[in-house]
Amino acid sequence: MTDHRTGSGEPSTTLGLLWGLPPRPTRRKGPARSATVAQIVNGAVALADESGLRAVTVRAVAERVGISAMSVYTYVPGKPELIDLMLDALYARMDRPRWQSGSWRDRLTAVAEANRGLLSEHAWVTEIAALSRPPLGPGLMAKYEHELSAFDGTGLADRDVDAALTFLLGFVQAHCRAAHDARRATTDSAMSDADWWAANQPILAQAFDAEVYPRAVRIGAAVGEAQQSAWSDERAWSFGLERVLDGLAAIIERPAEAGTPHT
């Protein structure tokens, strides 16, 4: 289980950093500033992209930016606050184009794809657990506003719009975490899924009795033949996203009384 969480730093300090508010005055003298908070954040993001979130230490960030380790603390109090700044910086960089389609399914598909792209490019984000009080920085707020607008015209009540978006993004997060874990397993073992199955086929053939496990053997063989592995990123994504959208269609497209939003 991950030990990295959003919103676990000192709230008022984190919010001040996210929104670029002047730091609280302090009597303690520290090293003179020779960098910016943005440089600290960008350096941390680059480290996480290259080597994972555990590589993001005060010393490593300091070396990346070219300042002393103690200087980092004059910008960011600690790693909890830094993680929130890193996430918000990524959210701020996401494209937010005007919606061109009148189809809510097309718009929500675009929302899902955009988040999948972010999590695929920055796999370490899937290692971070979100708390019930997320850090409400400018990047997150802009992302939230844009994604909520994808539900315009659906007739859903405000609470249902928020729940539907949470439902959609929860699927994206879970899928990307599974895809990340699958890629990591392949990298760690230095063996592809196809190679793993081929190497273990003699043992599996003896262990898996078709009379004892008729469905597992039949369906497992069909899946393996079709996608050359037990799990396919693209198949899981397309199938899962369609089912999520079908589930939302049940409340968006159901008949409602005139003038009354869906509840």
Side-chain angles (χ1 to χ4, degrees):
M1 182 177 293
T2 180
D3 56 356
H4 303 295
R5 296 181 178 276
T6 62
S8 60
E10 202 285 312
S12 59
T13 300
T14 301
L15 286 171
L17 287 167
L18 285 167
W19 290 93
L21 302 179
R24 295 175 179 175
T26 177
R27 295 180 179 179
R28 186 178 64 183
K29 293 184 178 180
R33 292 193 164 202
S34 58
T36 65
V37 172
Q39 288 176 306
I40 299 292
V41 173
N42 290 339
V45 168
L47 281 169
D49 287 345
E50 293 168 6
S51 307
L53 203 53
R54 293 189 182 279
V56 181
T57 64
V58 171
R59 183 176 298 278
V61 172
E63 292 177 354
R64 176 60 63 101
V65 178
I67 60 178
S68 70
M70 289 303 298
S71 294
V72 174
Y73 292 109
T74 67
Y75 299 90
V76 182
K79 192 168 182 178
E81 292 83 3
L82 180 57
I83 287 175
D84 289 337
L85 290 166
M86 292 164 66
L87 279 175
D88 205 69
L90 295 186
Y91 295 154
R93 298 171 191 170
M94 294 179 73
D95 290 334
R96 284 178 274 276
R98 290 183 177 274
W99 301 119
Q100 301 296 324
S101 175
S103 164
W104 65 265
R105 289 184 78 109
D106 288 347
R107 297 195 299 269
L108 295 192
T109 296
V111 168
E113 293 286 1
N115 280 274
R116 184 193 187 193
L118 176 76
L119 297 179
S120 297
E121 184 177 356
H122 308 282
W124 53 270
V125 178
T126 66
E127 302 172 17
I128 301 174
L131 298 181
S132 59
R133 296 178 180 176
L136 303 177
L140 176 60
M141 291 303 295
K143 177 179 184 291
Y144 185 50
E145 175 69 22
H146 178 68
E147 292 171 350
L148 290 175
S149 71
F151 290 87
D152 287 355
T154 60
L156 291 182
D158 287 348
R159 288 181 62 189
D160 288 341
V161 168
D162 179 78
L165 178 58
T166 300
F167 177 53
L168 176 66
L169 296 184
F171 161 73
V172 177
Q173 176 81 13
H175 173 87
C176 290
R177 179 59 189 266
H180 173 49
D181 289 346
R183 287 193 294 270
R184 185 168 56 187
T186 299
T187 301
D188 291 347
S189 66
M191 181 180 291
S192 69
D193 283 349
D195 290 340
W196 187 93
W197 285 103
N200 292 281
Q201 183 60 37
I203 297 176
L204 298 176
Q206 294 180 24
F208 295 166
D209 188 333
E211 293 186 1
V212 179
Y213 312 108
R215 299 168 189 82
V217 171
R218 185 185 76 250
I219 295 174
V223 169
E225 182 178 353
Q227 57 196 36
Q228 297 300 304
S229 68
W231 187 81
S232 165
D233 185 347
E234 290 303 323
R235 169 64 174 163
W237 173 258
S238 59
F239 184 89
L241 180 57
E242 283 301 308
R243 301 299 77 75
V244 169
L245 297 177
D246 288 344
L248 293 177
I251 60 172
I252 292 175
E253 297 177 354
R254 71 187 179 192
E257 296 181 9
T260 303
H262 297 299
T263 57

